[in-house]
């Protein structure tokens, strides 16, 4: 009798999840993840780890792909994390409804203005890396209109004048290259750039050539985008990866579990032309782009 009661309880939980989630594929994926979490233990998680590389362990016969210590890849691999068990928090300080999608929360603040959504969070991480490396002249992104907006010009006082799809830049502010002004620049980028502009601006990457920092993308308005933050390989050249995301509404950047292959979670494998299921999104194709 006890076994039947547990089974009925699980069915009720799944039905409630299906009822309350508007996107059917997302709901099925989430419900499947709940069941997967009941079956598998997080074998590859070190709860004491305070970075991506120290939080997630490597499966047997695999090793981490080596990168230069100053590379963007290494920056992501050793990105600092909040303590294990930290929750996904929305920009308004509320808790996100799904707290079992992630294995880690990145030490990335969430602005209260609600602008830092999925693509924005990744552009911020990339920009902060370039700032840290004193490569500030490389910080810049296209607006959805296709117009390029650089940090250097913004710091010099240039601001966009936007009329429909026409954008012109005019020197209307005093020069200011401070870190606080840099984050004002990023707020501008968050407003006028996003998943679609990144897809059109950045180089496309084949699944066979993936590395840390490449981004899984579904272009659109809205679309979605996630970033590879670690990479491992075995002796046969088979690779697996870790994925992280920001999200809408603006919220904590998190390292995602793998509900489709829970036995290797949070590691992911990608195949050319095959869909990718992540806890919060269904990508109909393994399509990737790379920061320049």
């Amino acid at each position: 009798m006890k076994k039947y009661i547990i089974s009925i309880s699980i069915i009720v939980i799944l039905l409630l999840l299906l009822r309350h989630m508007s996107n059917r594929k997302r709901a099925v994926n989430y419900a499947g993840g709940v069941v997967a979490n009941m079956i598998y233990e997080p074998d590859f998680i070190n709860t004491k780890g305070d970075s991506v590389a120290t939080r997630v362990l490597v499966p047997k016969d695999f090793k981490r792909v080596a990168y230069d210590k100053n590379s963007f890849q290494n920056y992501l691999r050793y990105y600092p994390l909040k303590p294990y068990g930290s929750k996904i928090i929305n920009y308004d300080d509320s808790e996100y409804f799904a707290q079992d999608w992630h294995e880690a929360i990145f030490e990335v603040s969430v602005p209260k203005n609600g602008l830092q959504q999925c693509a924005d969070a990744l552009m911020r991480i990339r920009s902060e890396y370039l700032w840290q490396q004193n490569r500030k002249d490389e910080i810049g992104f296209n607006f959805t209109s296709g117009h390029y907006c650089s940090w250097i010009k913004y710091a010099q006082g240039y601001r966009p004048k936007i009329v429909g799809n026409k954008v012109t830049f005019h020197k209307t502010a005093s020069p200011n290259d401070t870190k606080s002004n840099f984050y004002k620049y990023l707020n501008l980028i968050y407003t006028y750039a996003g998943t679609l502009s990144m897809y059109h601006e950045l180089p496309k990457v084949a699944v066979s050539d993936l590395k840390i920092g490449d981004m899984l993308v579904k272009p659109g308005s809205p679309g979605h985008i996630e970033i590879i933050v670690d990479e491992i390989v075995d002796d046969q050249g088979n690779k697996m990866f870790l994925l992280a995301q920001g999200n809408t509404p603006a919220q904590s950047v998190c390292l995602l579990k793998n509900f489709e292959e829970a036995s290797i979670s949070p590691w992911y494998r990608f195949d050319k032309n095959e869909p990718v299921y992540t806890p919060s999104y269904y990508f109909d194709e393994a399509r990737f782009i790379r920061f320049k």
Side-chain angles (χ1 to χ4, degrees), residues 156-188:
Q156 291 172 352
Y158 287 86
R159 299 292 184 270
K161 180 179 180 181
I162 301 171
V163 181
N165 287 326
K166 184 178 180 181
V167 180
T168 55
F169 291 86
H170 306 271
K171 195 173 188 308
T172 60
S174 300
N176 183 345
D177 61 0
T178 63
K179 195 70 174 286
S180 61
N181 201 41
F182 167 67
Y183 286 107
K184 291 180 181 178
Y185 161 78
L186 287 180
N187 279 332
L188 176 68

Side-chain angles (χ1 to χ4, degrees), residues 4 18 29 117 139 181 192 196-197 204 219 230 250 259 288:
Y4 290 117
L18 289 169
N29 202 27
Q117 299 180 9
I139 300 173
N181 201 41
Y192 294 108
L196 189 59
S197 62
K204 312 305 181 285
D230 207 351
F259 287 162
F288 290 84

